[in-house]
Amino acid sequence: MNSKSKVAIIGSGASAIFVLKHVRANRERLGEEISAIHIFERDSQLGTGMPYNRKTTDHYNMCNISSAEIPSLDQSLVTWLASLDDTWLKSHRIERKEIDDGRMYSRLTLGEYFSAQYQSIVKSLAQTGIPVIEHSNCDVRDVIDSPGENRVYVVTAGGEKMDFDRLVIATGHAFQESDEPQSGYYASPWPMHKLIPESGTVHNFTIGTLGSSLSAFDVVASLSHRHGRFERVDGRLVYHRDQQASDFQIVMHSSNGWLPHLQYEQAEEFREIYRHASREQMLQLRDSQGGLSLADYFDEVCRPALCKAFAKDERPEVVDRLKESGYSIEDFVDQMTSEHEYEDPFAGMRAEMPEAKRSVYRGKPIHWKEVLDDLIFTLNFHFEWLYAEDVLTYREKIVPFLMNVIAAMPLQSAETLLALSSAGCLELVPGRVTVKQKTGGKTLIEIDDDGQISERTYSMFIDCTGQGKVSLDQFPFKSLVDFGTVLEATARFRDRGFTNELANKLKHNVVSNERFVSLKLGGILIDGYYRLVGKDGQANPRIFDIAFPHATGIRPYSYGLQACDTTAAIVVATLCDELIGNIAIPDDPKALTRAYDSLPEPA
């Protein structure tokens, strides 16, 4: 009888690739324990992932991460690009002389790179005795957990039912198909090709986007290149609409009226969980109930780290404010936001461009932005300690600021936006948007800008806010929901007697029992090792879930390739301990933080 374990991974995108990478790094330990790894992928090409797949994205869509910031695989992106012939490079609009570690490339280029690295890792795993069995064009319809057998079953659309010892759900983004093209309404930009006019036609009208995120910029880039041309005049990018597209325009709707900060140089290219706070310090911040106060985290961890960063940036006025005893995280957000608020956001972007170019082209880091990224990365991996009151503050006050600061826009993308704005083809409208009506080939929206209500109608309106937290009724594997193997994530309130006003505001998102009143977070309940937690309150030793839309309630900052790598390292380290040590992994905070502290250094 073969006592080795069979492992399955659903999905073959970046998260799955990094899982395979860390399995290979532990091949001497896991080679005796794993008989095979099965990869299930609904697409024909493995190793690409939705954001980088030519079926979903467009060659004008840019990444916001450089080669130097991609966690290590078999080759760096620039090394891999340099190995390709000129014909391939030309097909991806890349000049050999411009290949550089700090440059940002298209999503399609990154997709081809990931596919090549996937194939390389799979090949080397097979050579070490851990074969990877691929199931392409294979849609997984259900997952069934069988605790009595200590098995988990994968059920495919073709009717196959295969059993495994361990399963990693790495399905990534999967947007719901709820477009209403007859009303010009699109629930997401993906796949991007659905928005592009057919050959010989144009969108000779105004198009609206909900959000001014990087996804919205993907829409702007894809459509603007189909309705005009860009050229460089005296060093400045200029846009000319095609004659037949004289009324082509895009309006981005953003609740705050912000555009993201621009790309900046970093002193440290990779985030670390315990860069600015040790695990011991994080443990000491927990109160007698095991909770973490956002105010305490800001005072004890963020203030000192930010003071050092702003001192390096030669910003003594911010250091002085940070040293004030009553200065809160909300005050910090307000102060830094005020520096980036402009009556005309495009004029503000143009004014900030020289500093961004100095940072990127002269290698001059902007330390405070980088340190803030690190601090939120640390908080992300301890987020389940936060009380619900602080989760609400984080979501309502901090997240919009973070998305503005840290979602750094590539300089070339910024130049595209500025060219379109100058040509009268791009507008940004502030205010919260509600879709009021989708009829008669039009989408009607209502805009609430600090109480000022207005309406606009669009022949094409695209929701670019990204995929939200998956609810239980949206979770793709129904048997796990039906049998209580999957639960919705929650955070308990510090104060059981929170105000009636707050209770009314949150009435559909609050649950209570004899001990706690809790806030529904969205997404599913996982423990610190990314194992499912079911109705028995115990971590499931057979099933890990690292899909961002599933885990985002508990891990709201778990997006990006560096987070994929860290998450994969956590999962594989847990597999090593379980399969090799044959021990149950405790989910107490001391054990968890010890595990985080022992992860391999990012490279």
Side-chain angles (χ1 to χ4, degrees):
M1 180 177 177
N2 187 354
S3 61
K4 289 187 176 183
S5 298
K6 286 195 304 178
V7 176
I9 303 175
I10 304 177
S12 69
S15 293
I17 293 171
F18 287 117
V19 169
L20 294 177
K21 179 190 93 166
H22 286 289
V23 167
R24 186 182 60 182
N26 290 275
R27 58 189 176 274
E28 292 185 3
R29 302 176 66 196
L30 290 173
E32 297 299 317
E33 303 296 332
I34 295 178
S35 61
I37 299 175
H38 290 247
I39 305 285
F40 293 87
E41 172 57 60
R42 66 172 58 186
D43 195 54
S44 58
Q45 183 180 20
L46 283 81
T48 302
M50 191 284 291
Y52 314 108
N53 192 311
R54 73 176 54 253
K55 292 181 181 178
T56 53
T57 193
D58 181 36
H59 54 259
Y60 292 115
N61 301 153
M62 299 297 297
C63 291
N64 67 329
I65 185 170
S66 68
S67 175
E69 298 170 277
I70 299 173
S72 65
L73 293 167
D74 283 5
Q75 294 173 291
S76 70
L77 175 57
V78 293
T79 301
W80 178 74
L81 286 173
S83 71
L84 302 173
D85 60 39
D86 289 339
T87 301
W88 191 98
L89 294 176
K90 185 177 180 180
S91 71
H92 284 69
R93 297 172 171 79
I94 299 171
E95 295 287 339
R96 185 174 297 279
K97 63 183 179 182
E98 295 178 349
I99 295 175
D100 183 81
D101 247 356
R103 188 177 178 85
M104 296 184 183
Y105 298 89
S106 73
R107 293 179 188 269
L108 288 179
T109 297
L110 211 60
E112 295 296 324
Y113 165 71
F114 280 137
S115 181
Q117 301 311 297
Y118 166 84
Q119 293 165 17
S120 177
I121 294 171
V122 165
K123 181 178 179 180
S124 61
L125 272 171
Q127 292 171 346
T128 63
I130 304 178
V132 175
I133 300 171
E134 299 174 335
H135 305 267
S136 60
N137 292 309
C138 184
D139 190 9
V140 174
R141 290 294 174 85
D142 204 3
V143 170
I144 302 170
D145 187 39
S146 180
E149 298 176 281
N150 198 26
R151 314 292 292 166
V152 57
Y153 292 89
V154 171
V155 182
T156 71
E160 291 182 278
K161 183 178 180 181
M162 291 171 269
D163 68 300
F164 298 94
D165 297 270
R166 297 292 187 275
L167 170 68
V168 180
I169 299 172
T171 48
H173 292 282
F175 290 92
Q176 301 294 314
E177 296 180 2
S178 52
D179 296 340
E180 298 182 33
Q182 70 278 7
S183 299
Y185 176 81
Y186 295 89
S188 83
W190 317 112
M192 188 65 65
H193 308 292
K194 70 188 179 185
L195 306 178
I196 298 170
E198 295 179 5
S199 178
T201 64
V202 295
H203 295 325
N204 196 25
F205 48 78
T206 300
I207 298 162
T209 71
L210 179 56
S212 58
S213 65
L214 296 176
S215 294
F217 306 143
D218 286 339
V219 171
V220 170
S222 290
L223 293 183
S224 62
H225 279 89
R226 268 82 179 189
H227 292 82
R229 61 185 177 85
F230 292 89
E231 69 170 341
R232 193 112 356 224
V233 178
D234 297 329
R236 185 171 178 175
L237 196 65
V238 176
Y239 183 69
H240 304 282
R241 267 185 289 218
D242 291 338
Q243 187 174 359
Q244 69 270 31
S246 57
D247 291 329
F248 166 73
Q249 185 188 30
I250 298 176
V251 177
M252 298 186 296
H253 290 271
S254 166
S255 58
N256 295 303
W258 295 340
L259 289 171
H261 284 223
L262 297 173
Q263 177 186 355
Y264 59 92
E265 180 70 12
Q266 302 181 67
E268 300 287 348
E269 291 159 343
F270 297 101
R271 307 281 71 84
E272 293 181 10
I273 296 178
Y274 293 126
R275 173 167 282 142
H276 299 289
S278 67
R279 59 175 291 268
E280 291 82 7
Q281 185 180 10
M282 292 300 297
L283 287 168
Q284 289 170 5
L285 286 176
R286 302 173 78 232
D287 63 19
S288 59
Q289 299 181 70
L292 172 65
S293 159
L294 188 60
D296 288 345
Y297 182 69
F298 180 73
D299 287 342
E300 300 299 324
V301 178
C302 300
R303 279 181 193 263
L306 288 170
C307 280
K308 291 178 182 177
F310 278 107
K312 290 180 180 178
D313 290 330
E314 299 179 349
R315 299 284 305 275
E317 77 285 359
V318 183
V319 176
D320 290 342
R321 290 297 310 278
L322 282 163
K323 290 181 178 179
E324 294 175 6
S325 60
Y327 190 73
S328 67
I329 190 168
E330 293 93 335
D331 294 328
F332 173 73
V333 168
D334 287 340
Q335 180 179 355
M336 302 315 297
T337 296
S338 67
E339 296 183 0
H340 192 63
E341 285 185 320
Y342 302 96
E343 186 172 341
D344 180 349
F346 295 102
M349 176 176 280
R350 188 170 284 109
E352 292 181 2
M353 185 68 81
E355 180 191 16
K357 287 184 176 180
R358 282 194 297 271
S359 174
V360 173
Y361 298 144
R362 299 182 186 178
K364 182 178 173 58
I366 300 178
H367 295 92
W368 78 265
K369 293 181 182 180
E370 177 184 341
V371 167
L372 179 64
D373 200 6
D374 259 326
L375 292 167
I376 301 303
F377 194 78
T378 298
L379 182 62
N380 176 72
F381 286 96
H382 303 81
F383 199 80
E384 65 269 34
W385 297 355
L386 283 184
Y387 290 107
E389 294 91 338
D390 289 323
V391 170
L392 291 172
T393 299
Y394 177 88
R395 286 181 174 179
E396 295 171 7
K397 188 75 176 180
I398 299 171
V399 167
F401 173 66
L402 291 174
M403 296 303 98
N404 181 40
V405 172
I406 295 172
M409 181 186 292
L411 298 185
Q412 59 214 89
S413 297
E415 286 189 309
T416 298
L417 295 190
L418 293 176
L420 289 165
S421 173
S422 296
C425 298
L426 185 62
E427 182 184 357
L428 178 62
V429 174
R432 294 189 178 278
V433 167
T434 303
V435 176
K436 302 294 288 186
Q437 197 174 52
K438 293 176 280 188
T439 57
K442 305 280 187 180
T443 296
L444 172 67
I445 66 168
E446 180 183 271
I447 307 155
D448 182 351
D449 184 15
D450 287 333
Q452 296 293 317
I453 307 299
S454 61
E455 292 183 342
R456 293 200 183 199
T457 302
Y458 292 100
S459 298
M460 177 178 279
F461 187 76
I462 307 144
D463 188 336
C464 299
T465 54
Q467 185 171 5
K469 307 169 187 69
V470 167
S471 59
L472 288 186
D473 62 349
Q474 296 171 327
F475 191 78
F477 309 122
K478 297 304 180 185
S479 291
L480 296 181
V481 177
D482 293 343
F483 290 98
T485 310
V486 167
L487 297 180
E488 185 173 14
T490 60
R492 75 179 188 269
F493 283 92
R494 180 190 295 105
D495 178 12
R496 187 180 177 92
F498 59 91
T499 66
N500 290 332
E501 180 182 354
L502 183 59
N504 288 332
K505 179 181 177 182
L506 303 169
K507 58 185 175 182
H508 298 301
N509 290 308
V510 172
V511 292
S512 60
N513 56 34
E514 294 179 357
R515 297 181 60 200
F516 304 117
V517 179
S518 300
L519 174 71
K520 295 180 181 180
L521 298 179
I524 65 168
L525 186 59
I526 55 171
D527 73 353
Y529 303 96
Y530 289 82
R531 301 178 297 187
L532 298 183
V533 177
K535 62 184 179 181
D536 60 358
Q538 302 299 310
N540 189 317
R542 292 168 295 281
I543 307 176
F544 299 82
D545 196 329
I546 58 176
F548 171 67
H550 302 172
T552 186
I554 294 289
R555 291 287 178 265
Y557 199 62
S558 296
Y559 67 88
L561 296 174
Q562 295 187 14
C564 288
D565 187 38
T566 300
T567 300
I570 292 168
V571 168
V572 173
T574 307
L575 281 174
C576 285
D577 289 342
E578 287 183 336
L579 296 179
I580 297 168
N582 196 28
I583 58 172
I585 306 299
D587 192 26
D588 68 88
K590 289 184 178 180
L592 180 64
T593 55
R594 190 178 300 112
Y596 288 174
D597 204 25
S598 63
L599 294 175
E601 291 187 9

